[in-house]
Amino acid sequence: MTDMPDTTNTFDASHTISHEEEYDDAAGYYVQGDPVRDTKAPGGPLDERWNTRQFEARIANPANRRRLSVIVVGTGLAGASAAATLGEAGYVVKAFCYQDSPRRAHSIAAQGGINAAKNYKGDGDSVYRLFYDTIKGGDYRSRESNVYRLAQVSTSIIDQCVAQGVPFAREYGGLLDNRSFGGVQVSRTFYARGQTGQQLLIGAYQALERQVAAGTVRCYTRHEMVELIVVDGRARGIIVRDLVTGEIETYFADVVVLASGGYGNVFYLSTNAMGCNVTATWRAHRKGALMANPCYTQIHPTCIPVSGAHQSKLTLMSESLRNDGRIWVPKSDADCTKDPREIPEEDRDYYLERIYPAFGNLVPRDIASRQAKNVCDEGRGVGPEVEGVRRGVYLDFAEAIDRLGRPAIEAKYGNLFDMYARITGEDPYEVPMRIYPAVHYVMGGLWVDYDLQSTIPGLFVTGEANFSDHGANRLGASALMQGLADGYFVLPNTIRDYLAEGPFDKIAEDDPAVVEAQQSVKDRIARFMSTGGTRSVDSYHRELGNIMWEYCGMERTEEGLRKAIDLIRGLRDDFWRNVRVLGSAEGMNQSLEKAGRVADFFELGELMCIDALNRRESCGGHFRTESQTEDGEALRHDDQYAYVAAWEWGGDDERPILHKEALDYEFTEMKQRSYK
């Protein structure tokens, strides 16, 4: 890991452009830093690297583990599984979440399933095929070593969860069932109807509560991390706000683990829970942790369409529905207002099956989303008009119901159909569902090495909060796989190498770094409470989200991204002058909670646009209109952009610093994706 250089440059896009920056769309918006590389990944045969690293990682003996402490921020699948496993190993663990129970984590909302290379269907699956599908699905923008480890560990996850009692769906004979997800041609997704995330989280939660009862883990609910404590260059604790009492509290540990999820709510409208935010990771970023590939955003193709400006939340319809549902729009825009049941088969355009005959409706999410946008832009969208445009396509189960019978569809998807009916007032057994893409997941996150350690020693990052495994596009059913792989199997085997250096010196409450961090939190809260403006936090968040969706959403252009950066800067300045935070800092205050989160979203949103502007290629979920094939597919430029963009915080009103990690492919050939 290279030392990070100092910079005193300000955000001034008018500065003189050097020769190296001449053809860089983002020239003037950032500073070029030194390259960064992962020094922890072993060499040698790909299938031996994880075993090699586990053996080489040092071990803390059992007596020392009782004197070593770990803070885990977030109690979703990645956080709960990590806290439970580390507690069982004998470490002293403190787990924090802003929800009233770990069971409220957003992991509970995952519906479709979890991937594993078990090959129970005997259809040619293997660890290597899962590895290859993930590399290809991510458009060759992820690390080979990390992805292969994920595929290796996947098989153990299922065994672990079955042992916990997770009620996976089973075939008639009692064997675990599988179904297919996008971007693959095998069935490797294990599921529990349409509530897989909920069942997996209950399994992780019971493992966590077992350790709480054993005294190795203590849970702090309704506590939100608002600052990271870094002492002598190492992460040594966090500052949290008690969301019930308003009290600011400080906690120390030998190591800090962030498992706080993704930042999709920067777009305001997303499928994420309303409380999902970037604050924990962004506070770490401001303290020196690099933020990697922030512009890589996943737009999920099967969500209930926006119904109007009143909405603050969108609802996911599981990708598993694409196993049996067929996606179509009318061939003629004249038919878009008709009852879909009255449109004859010959007047329907099953556009995914037409364009991608090899994969059909199970193409990866980024491709399905862009094609849905394309047909709607052509004027063939369906459903009610919102701001003069119909944004919807049909997901039709009529053929599947005829083929399998309604009871079989109810058994597979019953709860999803019920949810759709409650939200829309339409019966999907009788009328095709209407779906449209929405923000769902982010592949970007804090940069980590093979050990899942960030650029701040002692700060580890797991699950969606890190960037490591999915490249520019995550395949369906891989989020649950990564979260549990990191928490149950990867982190416990890598964090011990760092903790073997302990026991560490205790941190004093009056240490200058601690006092400075505490004061910064108090000053920030005081500033929010004293602004006394006229606009609500939500109004700023909605406007920021509109900017991000319009200019940094499914399609990005140089002109649009430059405009977005200017708009975000202006809106952020107005936010700090004119936001109105109601209530007081003492006690429960959701307006204050939101203010801190939205302030961080402003800074993140600007970095996302700069990152997207810098990457003048199309890959996965990042689509630059300037870089596409003749038939409108994403066009990569491996000679220029085969790297991880790892951004360093430059300081308030300073330009960010870009450090590039080269992506070297030894075992797979980088080529343009094709699902036709």
Side-chain angles (χ1 to χ4, degrees):
M1 177 66 221
T2 182
D3 291 334
M4 297 303 155
D6 260 349
T7 178
T8 55
N9 296 286
T10 59
F11 280 108
D12 178 10
S14 65
H15 86 299
T16 302
I17 299 174
S18 69
H19 176 72
E20 290 77 10
E21 296 174 313
E22 190 171 354
Y23 301 104
D24 182 357
D25 289 349
Y29 290 97
Y30 74 96
V31 177
Q32 185 68 57
D34 294 333
V36 64
R37 64 190 183 91
D38 177 9
T39 61
K40 300 289 181 61
L46 190 60
D47 59 353
E48 296 178 8
R49 291 182 177 181
W50 177 227
N51 288 335
T52 299
R53 182 59 190 140
Q54 290 181 86
F55 177 74
E56 290 178 349
R58 293 168 294 175
I59 297 175
N61 71 59
N64 281 344
R65 288 178 215 162
R66 294 191 292 271
R67 295 185 288 162
L68 294 168
S69 56
V70 181
I71 283 175
V72 178
V73 180
T75 55
L77 286 180
S81 58
T85 308
L86 293 171
E88 188 157 8
Y91 300 105
V92 179
V93 180
K94 303 183 186 79
F96 294 82
C97 65
Y98 62 77
Q99 297 92 346
D100 59 1
S101 166
R103 285 184 58 181
R104 299 278 189 183
H106 183 57
S107 299
I108 202 170
Q111 298 170 352
I114 177 171
N115 289 330
K118 287 285 199 179
N119 195 31
Y120 282 174
K121 292 290 188 182
D123 53 3
D125 200 12
S126 65
V127 167
Y128 189 87
R129 186 175 294 278
L130 174 53
F131 156 74
Y132 178 77
D133 287 344
T134 305
I135 287 283
K136 178 184 176 182
D139 220 349
Y140 301 92
R141 289 295 177 262
S142 52
R143 296 174 179 153
E144 285 186 320
S145 294
N146 290 65
V147 175
Y148 195 87
R149 174 177 66 187
L150 178 64
Q152 282 179 299
V153 168
S154 69
T155 58
S156 299
I157 297 171
I158 303 304
D159 297 339
Q160 170 92 356
C161 294
V162 169
Q164 290 174 339
V166 173
F168 287 122
R170 294 178 181 269
E171 296 177 333
Y172 180 77
L175 299 177
L176 296 181
D177 196 14
N178 293 121
R179 57 190 177 196
S180 297
F181 261 58
V184 304
Q185 293 178 307
V186 297
S187 295
R188 64 163 68 102
T189 304
F190 296 78
Y191 64 98
R193 295 190 74 192
Q195 50 187 242
T196 312
Q198 179 184 28
Q199 299 304 323
L200 292 173
L201 185 60
I202 290 172
Y205 173 72
Q206 69 184 20
L208 177 65
E209 287 301 304
R210 179 174 177 270
Q211 295 309 310
V212 170
T216 62
V217 177
R218 181 173 178 183
C219 278
Y220 297 82
T221 58
R222 304 295 288 145
H223 282 69
E224 181 172 27
M225 174 183 160
V226 291
E227 190 56 277
L228 177 71
I229 296 173
V230 179
V231 179
D232 296 330
R234 295 174 181 255
R236 293 303 308 270
I238 61 173
I239 297 175
V240 300
R241 181 174 180 270
D242 186 319
L243 300 183
V244 177
T245 67
E247 196 172 337
I248 304 302
E249 302 170 359
T250 303
Y251 295 89
F252 301 111
D254 298 312
V255 69
V256 176
V257 177
L258 297 185
S260 49
Y263 48 81
N265 275 349
V266 69
F267 291 88
Y268 186 70
L269 286 179
S270 80
T271 66
N272 288 183
M274 294 290 288
C276 293
N277 64 82
V278 74
T279 292
T281 51
W282 195 254
R283 296 291 102 191
H285 174 59
R286 289 175 61 100
K287 285 292 182 76
L290 300 187
M291 177 67 77
N293 301 332
C295 78
Y296 287 168
T297 308
Q298 177 156 95
I299 313 295
H300 199 295
T302 53
C303 302
I304 297 178
V306 174
S307 60
H310 61 280
Q311 278 184 278
S312 57
K313 174 80 173 66
L314 296 177
T315 304
L316 172 71
M317 287 284 101
S318 170
E319 181 171 322
S320 62
L321 295 171
R322 290 198 273 151
N323 275 272
D324 292 303
R326 300 180 71 193
I327 296 172
W328 64 276
V329 292
K331 289 182 178 179
S332 170
D333 58 5
D335 291 337
C336 290
T337 57
K338 290 183 177 178
D339 185 322
R341 293 168 293 186
E342 297 177 359
I343 301 174
E345 192 73 14
E346 61 270 20
D347 292 336
R348 301 179 178 189
D349 180 12
Y350 295 92
Y351 58 89
L352 291 179
E353 298 174 26
R354 170 174 56 83
I355 301 171
Y356 308 101
F359 283 75
N361 294 298
L362 287 175
V363 292
R365 292 174 176 178
D366 58 315
I367 293 174
S369 294
R370 280 197 297 275
Q371 292 298 345
K373 181 181 186 300
N374 290 342
V375 296
C376 291
D377 288 347
E378 293 170 5
R380 294 192 289 145
V382 299
E385 289 188 355
V386 177
E387 298 180 353
V389 182
R390 300 182 194 279
R391 296 289 184 191
V393 300
Y394 289 126
L395 180 62
D396 196 337
F397 287 85
E399 186 273 336
I401 292 173
D402 288 344
R403 173 169 47 89
L404 301 172
R406 176 165 172 162
I409 298 300
E410 288 179 341
K412 284 184 175 182
Y413 312 117
N415 65 311
L416 298 173
F417 276 48
D418 291 345
M419 182 167 62
Y420 181 88
R422 284 197 299 270
I423 292 172
T424 66
E426 300 172 1
D427 183 357
Y429 293 104
E430 300 294 333
V431 182
M433 288 183 178
R434 286 178 295 107
I435 58 170
Y436 193 71
V439 173
H440 176 61
Y441 186 90
V442 291
M443 286 71 67
L446 292 183
W447 186 95
V448 292
D449 60 19
Y450 192 69
D451 283 1
L452 304 185
Q453 185 171 208
S454 74
T455 46
I456 300 176
L459 178 68
F460 291 76
V461 192
T462 64
E464 192 180 354
N466 74 33
F467 88 102
S468 65
D469 291 342
H470 305 296
N473 176 64
R474 177 177 67 76
L475 291 183
S478 289
L480 305 185
M481 175 174 63
Q482 187 211 345
L484 292 180
D486 285 355
Y488 281 135
F489 300 105
V490 179
L491 182 73
N493 281 296
T494 59
I495 200 172
R496 58 181 168 85
D497 183 69
Y498 180 85
L499 288 171
E501 299 176 14
F504 300 89
D505 293 337
K506 298 295 182 184
I507 302 298
E509 286 274 2
D510 60 355
D511 186 286
V514 177
V515 174
E516 180 185 4
Q518 292 170 334
Q519 191 60 47
S520 71
V521 171
K522 294 174 183 176
D523 291 346
R524 194 167 192 247
I525 291 174
R527 185 176 180 186
F528 285 134
M529 301 308 303
S530 63
T531 301
T534 60
R535 282 189 63 177
S536 69
V537 177
D538 283 341
S539 73
Y540 282 106
H541 191 184
R542 182 185 293 274
E543 188 171 347
L544 172 63
N546 288 339
I547 294 169
M548 294 298 297
W549 179 250
E550 182 68 24
Y551 301 110
C552 197
M554 272 195 281
E555 285 190 5
R556 293 114 182 238
T557 66
E558 178 184 355
E559 179 184 5
L561 290 165
R562 289 181 182 275
K563 182 177 181 179
I565 293 169
D566 289 340
L567 290 172
I568 291 169
R569 290 175 178 176
L571 187 63
R572 182 182 63 211
D573 290 344
D574 187 72
F575 171 84
W576 284 109
R577 288 194 307 266
N578 198 34
V579 70
R580 183 172 183 83
V581 178
L582 303 174
S584 81
E586 289 75 41
M588 184 178 293
N589 188 337
Q590 292 189 328
S591 180
L592 178 58
E593 295 169 30
K594 292 177 182 178
R597 296 167 187 171
V598 172
D600 292 333
F601 278 144
F602 275 118
E603 295 175 356
L604 167 69
E606 181 175 337
L607 183 62
M608 290 173 67
C609 292
I610 293 173
D611 186 40
L613 190 60
N614 170 253
R615 191 174 287 274
R616 194 184 177 91
E617 69 163 352
S618 295
C619 57
H622 169 65
F623 190 83
R624 287 286 297 268
T625 56
E626 302 93 339
S627 182
Q628 54 184 304
T629 63
E630 290 183 358
D631 54 355
E633 300 291 349
L635 179 62
R636 294 195 326 269
H637 299 291
D638 296 335
D639 57 331
Q640 301 175 62
Y641 299 107
Y643 62 78
V644 175
W647 296 90
E648 180 187 356
W649 174 255
D652 290 318
D653 299 320
E654 307 264 340
R655 288 183 288 166
I657 305 155
L658 173 60
H659 304 273
K660 298 179 181 179
E661 178 197 343
L663 290 171
D664 299 316
Y665 281 81
E666 302 176 60
F667 303 94
T668 50
E669 178 188 357
M670 299 177 74
K671 52 189 177 184
Q672 291 298 133
R673 290 188 305 170
S674 176
Y675 292 94
K676 295 185 176 180

Short mmCIF file of all heavy atoms in Angstrom, two decimals, residues 368-412:
data_model
loop_
_atom_site.label_atom_id
_atom_site.label_comp_id
_atom_site.label_asym_id
_atom_site.label_seq_id
_atom_site.Cartn_x
_atom_site.Cartn_y
_atom_site.Cartn_z
N ALA A 368 -30.96 -5.76 -18.88
CA ALA A 368 -32.42 -5.74 -18.84
C ALA A 368 -32.94 -4.34 -18.52
O ALA A 368 -33.96 -3.89 -19.08
CB ALA A 368 -32.93 -6.74 -17.81
N SER A 369 -32.25 -3.64 -17.64
CA SER A 369 -32.69 -2.29 -17.26
C SER A 369 -32.57 -1.31 -18.42
O SER A 369 -33.49 -0.53 -18.70
CB SER A 369 -31.86 -1.79 -16.07
OG SER A 369 -32.12 -2.56 -14.91
N ARG A 370 -31.43 -1.35 -19.12
CA ARG A 370 -31.25 -0.41 -20.23
C ARG A 370 -32.25 -0.67 -21.36
O ARG A 370 -32.76 0.27 -21.98
CB ARG A 370 -29.82 -0.49 -20.76
CG ARG A 370 -28.82 0.30 -19.93
CD ARG A 370 -27.53 0.54 -20.68
NE ARG A 370 -26.84 -0.69 -21.02
CZ ARG A 370 -26.00 -1.33 -20.20
NH1 ARG A 370 -25.77 -0.85 -18.99
NH2 ARG A 370 -25.39 -2.44 -20.58
N GLN A 371 -32.53 -1.94 -21.62
CA GLN A 371 -33.49 -2.24 -22.68
C GLN A 371 -34.90 -1.80 -22.31
O GLN A 371 -35.67 -1.35 -23.17
CB GLN A 371 -33.45 -3.73 -23.03
CG GLN A 371 -32.17 -4.19 -23.68
CD GLN A 371 -31.90 -3.50 -25.02
OE1 GLN A 371 -32.76 -2.88 -25.61
NE2 GLN A 371 -30.66 -3.61 -25.49
N ALA A 372 -35.26 -1.89 -21.03
CA ALA A 372 -36.56 -1.38 -20.59
C ALA A 372 -36.63 0.13 -20.79
O ALA A 372 -37.66 0.66 -21.25
CB ALA A 372 -36.80 -1.74 -19.12
N LYS A 373 -35.56 0.81 -20.46
CA LYS A 373 -35.52 2.26 -20.69
C LYS A 373 -35.63 2.58 -22.17
O LYS A 373 -36.36 3.51 -22.58
CB LYS A 373 -34.22 2.85 -20.13
CG LYS A 373 -34.09 4.36 -20.30
CD LYS A 373 -32.78 4.87 -19.75
CE LYS A 373 -32.71 6.40 -19.78
NZ LYS A 373 -32.82 6.95 -21.15
N ASN A 374 -34.94 1.79 -23.00
CA ASN A 374 -34.95 2.06 -24.44
C ASN A 374 -36.36 1.97 -25.02
O ASN A 374 -36.79 2.84 -25.79
CB ASN A 374 -34.02 1.08 -25.17
CG ASN A 374 -32.56 1.35 -24.89
OD1 ASN A 374 -32.19 2.44 -24.44
ND2 ASN A 374 -31.70 0.37 -25.15
N VAL A 375 -37.10 0.90 -24.68
CA VAL A 375 -38.43 0.75 -25.28
C VAL A 375 -39.39 1.82 -24.76
O VAL A 375 -40.29 2.26 -25.49
CB VAL A 375 -39.01 -0.68 -25.05
CG1 VAL A 375 -38.15 -1.72 -25.75
CG2 VAL A 375 -39.15 -1.00 -23.56
N CYS A 376 -39.19 2.24 -23.50
CA CYS A 376 -40.03 3.32 -22.98
C CYS A 376 -39.68 4.65 -23.64
O CYS A 376 -40.56 5.47 -23.92
CB CYS A 376 -39.91 3.41 -21.46
SG CYS A 376 -40.64 2.01 -20.58
N ASP A 377 -38.39 4.88 -23.88
CA ASP A 377 -37.97 6.10 -24.58
C ASP A 377 -38.52 6.14 -26.01
O ASP A 377 -38.73 7.21 -26.58
CB ASP A 377 -36.45 6.20 -24.62
CG ASP A 377 -35.84 6.54 -23.27
OD1 ASP A 377 -36.60 6.93 -22.37
OD2 ASP A 377 -34.61 6.40 -23.12
N GLU A 378 -38.76 4.96 -26.59
CA GLU A 378 -39.34 4.88 -27.93
C GLU A 378 -40.84 5.21 -27.93
O GLU A 378 -41.46 5.29 -28.99
CB GLU A 378 -39.15 3.48 -28.52
CG GLU A 378 -37.69 3.13 -28.82
CD GLU A 378 -37.53 1.65 -29.16
OE1 GLU A 378 -38.55 0.94 -29.25
OE2 GLU A 378 -36.37 1.21 -29.33
N GLY A 379 -41.41 5.37 -26.72
CA GLY A 379 -42.84 5.66 -26.62
C GLY A 379 -43.70 4.43 -26.47
O GLY A 379 -44.94 4.52 -26.59
N ARG A 380 -43.09 3.27 -26.15
CA ARG A 380 -43.86 2.03 -26.03
C ARG A 380 -44.01 1.58 -24.58
O ARG A 380 -44.34 0.42 -24.32
CB ARG A 380 -43.20 0.93 -26.87
CG ARG A 380 -43.25 1.23 -28.38
CD ARG A 380 -42.87 0.03 -29.20
NE ARG A 380 -41.45 -0.28 -29.11
CZ ARG A 380 -40.95 -1.51 -29.12
NH1 ARG A 380 -41.76 -2.55 -29.19
NH2 ARG A 380 -39.65 -1.70 -29.06
N GLY A 381 -43.78 2.47 -23.64
CA GLY A 381 -43.99 2.15 -22.24
C GLY A 381 -45.47 2.01 -21.93
O GLY A 381 -46.34 2.52 -22.65
N VAL A 382 -45.76 1.32 -20.83
CA VAL A 382 -47.16 1.06 -20.47
C VAL A 382 -47.43 1.58 -19.06
O VAL A 382 -46.52 1.92 -18.31
CB VAL A 382 -47.48 -0.44 -20.55
CG1 VAL A 382 -47.27 -0.95 -21.97
CG2 VAL A 382 -46.61 -1.25 -19.56
N GLY A 383 -48.73 1.63 -18.72
CA GLY A 383 -49.12 2.11 -17.40
C GLY A 383 -49.47 3.58 -17.45
O GLY A 383 -49.41 4.24 -18.50
N PRO A 384 -49.82 4.15 -16.30
CA PRO A 384 -50.21 5.57 -16.27
C PRO A 384 -49.03 6.49 -16.57
O PRO A 384 -47.88 6.15 -16.29
CB PRO A 384 -50.72 5.76 -14.83
CG PRO A 384 -50.04 4.69 -14.04
CD PRO A 384 -49.92 3.52 -14.97
N GLU A 385 -49.32 7.63 -17.14
CA GLU A 385 -48.28 8.62 -17.41
C GLU A 385 -47.87 9.31 -16.11
O GLU A 385 -48.71 9.67 -15.30
CB GLU A 385 -48.77 9.66 -18.41
CG GLU A 385 -48.93 9.15 -19.83
CD GLU A 385 -49.24 10.27 -20.81
OE1 GLU A 385 -49.41 11.42 -20.36
OE2 GLU A 385 -49.29 9.99 -22.02
N VAL A 386 -46.56 9.46 -15.92
CA VAL A 386 -46.01 10.23 -14.82
C VAL A 386 -45.13 11.30 -15.44
O VAL A 386 -44.15 10.99 -16.13
CB VAL A 386 -45.19 9.35 -13.85
CG1 VAL A 386 -44.58 10.21 -12.75
CG2 VAL A 386 -46.09 8.27 -13.24
N GLU A 387 -45.53 12.55 -15.24
CA GLU A 387 -44.84 13.68 -15.87
C GLU A 387 -44.77 13.51 -17.39
O GLU A 387 -43.75 13.79 -18.03
CB GLU A 387 -43.43 13.86 -15.27
CG GLU A 387 -43.46 14.18 -13.78
CD GLU A 387 -42.07 14.36 -13.18
OE1 GLU A 387 -41.09 14.10 -13.91
OE2 GLU A 387 -41.98 14.76 -12.01
N GLY A 388 -45.88 13.00 -17.95
CA GLY A 388 -46.01 12.93 -19.40
C GLY A 388 -45.39 11.72 -20.06
O GLY A 388 -45.41 11.60 -21.29
N VAL A 389 -44.83 10.79 -19.28
CA VAL A 389 -44.15 9.62 -19.85
C VAL A 389 -44.67 8.35 -19.17
O VAL A 389 -44.88 8.33 -17.96
CB VAL A 389 -42.62 9.73 -19.68
CG1 VAL A 389 -41.93 8.52 -20.32
CG2 VAL A 389 -42.09 11.02 -20.27
N ARG A 390 -44.85 7.31 -19.97
CA ARG A 390 -45.22 6.00 -19.41
C ARG A 390 -43.95 5.21 -19.16
O ARG A 390 -43.25 4.83 -20.10
CB ARG A 390 -46.14 5.25 -20.37
CG ARG A 390 -47.43 5.96 -20.70
CD ARG A 390 -48.32 5.13 -21.62
NE ARG A 390 -49.39 5.96 -22.17
CZ ARG A 390 -50.51 6.26 -21.52
NH1 ARG A 390 -50.69 5.78 -20.30
NH2 ARG A 390 -51.43 7.01 -22.09
N ARG A 391 -43.64 4.97 -17.92
CA ARG A 391 -42.43 4.24 -17.54
C ARG A 391 -42.82 2.90 -16.96
O ARG A 391 -42.97 2.73 -15.74
CB ARG A 391 -41.60 5.03 -16.53
CG ARG A 391 -41.04 6.35 -17.06
CD ARG A 391 -39.95 6.11 -18.07
NE ARG A 391 -39.33 7.36 -18.52
CZ ARG A 391 -38.49 7.43 -19.54
NH1 ARG A 391 -38.18 6.33 -20.21
NH2 ARG A 391 -37.97 8.58 -19.91
N GLY A 392 -43.02 1.91 -17.83
CA GLY A 392 -43.36 0.57 -17.37
C GLY A 392 -43.32 -0.41 -18.52
O GLY A 392 -43.53 -0.04 -19.69
N VAL A 393 -43.02 -1.66 -18.21
CA VAL A 393 -43.11 -2.77 -19.17
C VAL A 393 -43.87 -3.89 -18.47
O VAL A 393 -43.97 -3.92 -17.24
CB VAL A 393 -41.72 -3.24 -19.65
CG1 VAL A 393 -40.96 -2.12 -20.33
CG2 VAL A 393 -40.89 -3.81 -18.48
N TYR A 394 -44.37 -4.83 -19.25
CA TYR A 394 -45.16 -5.91 -18.66
C TYR A 394 -44.27 -7.10 -18.28
O TYR A 394 -43.33 -7.46 -19.00
CB TYR A 394 -46.22 -6.40 -19.64
CG TYR A 394 -47.35 -5.42 -19.85
CD1 TYR A 394 -47.71 -5.00 -21.13
CD2 TYR A 394 -48.08 -4.92 -18.77
CE1 TYR A 394 -48.75 -4.10 -21.33
CE2 TYR A 394 -49.12 -4.02 -18.96
CZ TYR A 394 -49.44 -3.61 -20.24
OH TYR A 394 -50.47 -2.72 -20.42
N LEU A 395 -44.60 -7.70 -17.14
CA LEU A 395 -44.02 -8.98 -16.72
C LEU A 395 -45.19 -9.94 -16.59
O LEU A 395 -45.98 -9.86 -15.65
CB LEU A 395 -43.28 -8.83 -15.39
CG LEU A 395 -42.62 -10.08 -14.81
CD1 LEU A 395 -41.55 -10.63 -15.76
CD2 LEU A 395 -42.00 -9.80 -13.45
N ASP A 396 -45.31 -10.84 -17.56
CA ASP A 396 -46.55 -11.59 -17.79
C ASP A 396 -46.38 -13.06 -17.39
O ASP A 396 -45.46 -13.73 -17.85
CB ASP A 396 -46.89 -11.48 -19.28
CG ASP A 396 -48.33 -11.87 -19.58
OD1 ASP A 396 -48.92 -12.61 -18.77
OD2 ASP A 396 -48.85 -11.43 -20.62
N PHE A 397 -47.30 -13.55 -16.56
CA PHE A 397 -47.24 -14.94 -16.09
C PHE A 397 -48.33 -15.82 -16.70
O PHE A 397 -48.50 -16.96 -16.26
CB PHE A 397 -47.35 -14.98 -14.56
CG PHE A 397 -46.10 -14.50 -13.87
CD1 PHE A 397 -45.91 -13.15 -13.64
CD2 PHE A 397 -45.12 -15.38 -13.49
CE1 PHE A 397 -44.76 -12.69 -13.02
CE2 PHE A 397 -43.96 -14.94 -12.88
CZ PHE A 397 -43.78 -13.59 -12.64
N ALA A 398 -49.04 -15.32 -17.69
CA ALA A 398 -50.15 -16.09 -18.26
C ALA A 398 -49.68 -17.42 -18.82
O ALA A 398 -50.30 -18.47 -18.57
CB ALA A 398 -50.85 -15.27 -19.35
N GLU A 399 -48.57 -17.41 -19.55
CA GLU A 399 -48.06 -18.65 -20.14
C GLU A 399 -47.62 -19.63 -19.05
O GLU A 399 -47.87 -20.83 -19.14
CB GLU A 399 -46.90 -18.32 -21.09
CG GLU A 399 -46.37 -19.50 -21.89
CD GLU A 399 -45.29 -20.30 -21.16
OE1 GLU A 399 -44.63 -19.71 -20.26
OE2 GLU A 399 -45.12 -21.49 -21.48
N ALA A 400 -46.96 -19.12 -18.00
CA ALA A 400 -46.49 -19.99 -16.92
C ALA A 400 -47.66 -20.59 -16.15
O ALA A 400 -47.62 -21.76 -15.74
CB ALA A 400 -45.58 -19.21 -15.98
N ILE A 401 -48.71 -19.80 -15.94
CA ILE A 401 -49.89 -20.32 -15.24
C ILE A 401 -50.56 -21.40 -16.07
O ILE A 401 -51.01 -22.44 -15.54
CB ILE A 401 -50.85 -19.17 -14.90
CG1 ILE A 401 -50.22 -18.25 -13.84
CG2 ILE A 401 -52.19 -19.71 -14.41
CD1 ILE A 401 -51.01 -16.99 -13.56
N ASP A 402 -50.64 -21.20 -17.39
CA ASP A 402 -51.21 -22.23 -18.26
C ASP A 402 -50.37 -23.50 -18.24
O ASP A 402 -50.89 -24.62 -18.25
CB ASP A 402 -51.30 -21.70 -19.70
CG ASP A 402 -52.40 -20.66 -19.86
OD1 ASP A 402 -53.26 -20.58 -18.97
OD2 ASP A 402 -52.36 -19.91 -20.86
N ARG A 403 -49.05 -23.33 -18.21
CA ARG A 403 -48.13 -24.47 -18.29
C ARG A 403 -48.02 -25.22 -16.97
O ARG A 403 -48.01 -26.46 -16.94
CB ARG A 403 -46.75 -23.98 -18.74
CG ARG A 403 -45.64 -25.02 -18.73
CD ARG A 403 -44.40 -24.49 -19.45
NE ARG A 403 -44.05 -23.14 -19.03
CZ ARG A 403 -43.24 -22.86 -18.00
NH1 ARG A 403 -42.73 -23.85 -17.29
NH2 ARG A 403 -42.95 -21.61 -17.70
N LEU A 404 -47.91 -24.50 -15.85
CA LEU A 404 -47.64 -25.11 -14.55
C LEU A 404 -48.87 -25.18 -13.64
O LEU A 404 -48.89 -25.98 -12.70
CB LEU A 404 -46.53 -24.32 -13.83
CG LEU A 404 -45.19 -24.21 -14.56
CD1 LEU A 404 -44.26 -23.26 -13.83
CD2 LEU A 404 -44.55 -25.59 -14.69
N GLY A 405 -49.85 -24.32 -13.90
CA GLY A 405 -51.01 -24.23 -13.02
C GLY A 405 -50.81 -23.16 -11.97
O GLY A 405 -49.70 -22.90 -11.51
N ARG A 406 -51.91 -22.53 -11.57
CA ARG A 406 -51.83 -21.46 -10.58
C ARG A 406 -51.24 -21.92 -9.25
O ARG A 406 -50.44 -21.20 -8.65
CB ARG A 406 -53.21 -20.82 -10.39
CG ARG A 406 -53.22 -19.76 -9.31
CD ARG A 406 -54.45 -18.90 -9.34
NE ARG A 406 -54.50 -18.02 -8.17
CZ ARG A 406 -55.25 -16.93 -8.08
NH1 ARG A 406 -56.04 -16.58 -9.10
NH2 ARG A 406 -55.23 -16.19 -6.98
N PRO A 407 -51.58 -23.11 -8.74
CA PRO A 407 -51.00 -23.52 -7.46
C PRO A 407 -49.47 -23.57 -7.47
O PRO A 407 -48.83 -23.22 -6.47
CB PRO A 407 -51.59 -24.92 -7.24
CG PRO A 407 -52.88 -24.90 -7.99
CD PRO A 407 -52.62 -24.07 -9.20
N ALA A 408 -48.88 -23.99 -8.58
CA ALA A 408 -47.42 -24.04 -8.65
C ALA A 408 -46.83 -22.63 -8.61
O ALA A 408 -45.79 -22.39 -7.96
CB ALA A 408 -46.98 -24.75 -9.94
N ILE A 409 -47.44 -21.67 -9.28
CA ILE A 409 -46.97 -20.29 -9.25
C ILE A 409 -47.14 -19.69 -7.86
O ILE A 409 -46.27 -18.98 -7.34
CB ILE A 409 -47.71 -19.45 -10.31
CG1 ILE A 409 -47.42 -19.99 -11.71
CG2 ILE A 409 -47.30 -17.98 -10.22
CD1 ILE A 409 -45.95 -19.97 -12.11
N GLU A 410 -48.25 -20.00 -7.21
CA GLU A 410 -48.47 -19.52 -5.84
C GLU A 410 -47.41 -20.07 -4.90
O GLU A 410 -46.93 -19.36 -4.00
CB GLU A 410 -49.86 -19.92 -5.37
CG GLU A 410 -50.99 -19.14 -6.02
CD GLU A 410 -52.36 -19.61 -5.53
OE1 GLU A 410 -52.44 -20.74 -4.99
OE2 GLU A 410 -53.34 -18.86 -5.70
N ALA A 411 -47.04 -21.33 -5.07
CA ALA A 411 -46.04 -21.93 -4.19
C ALA A 411 -44.69 -21.26 -4.34
O ALA A 411 -43.95 -21.10 -3.37
CB ALA A 411 -45.92 -23.43 -4.50
N LYS A 412 -44.35 -20.87 -5.58
CA LYS A 412 -43.05 -20.25 -5.83
C LYS A 412 -43.02 -18.77 -5.44
O LYS A 412 -42.06 -18.28 -4.86
CB LYS A 412 -42.70 -20.35 -7.32
CG LYS A 412 -42.23 -21.71 -7.80
CD LYS A 412 -41.83 -21.60 -9.28
CE LYS A 412 -41.25 -22.88 -9.79
NZ LYS A 412 -40.81 -22.76 -11.22
#
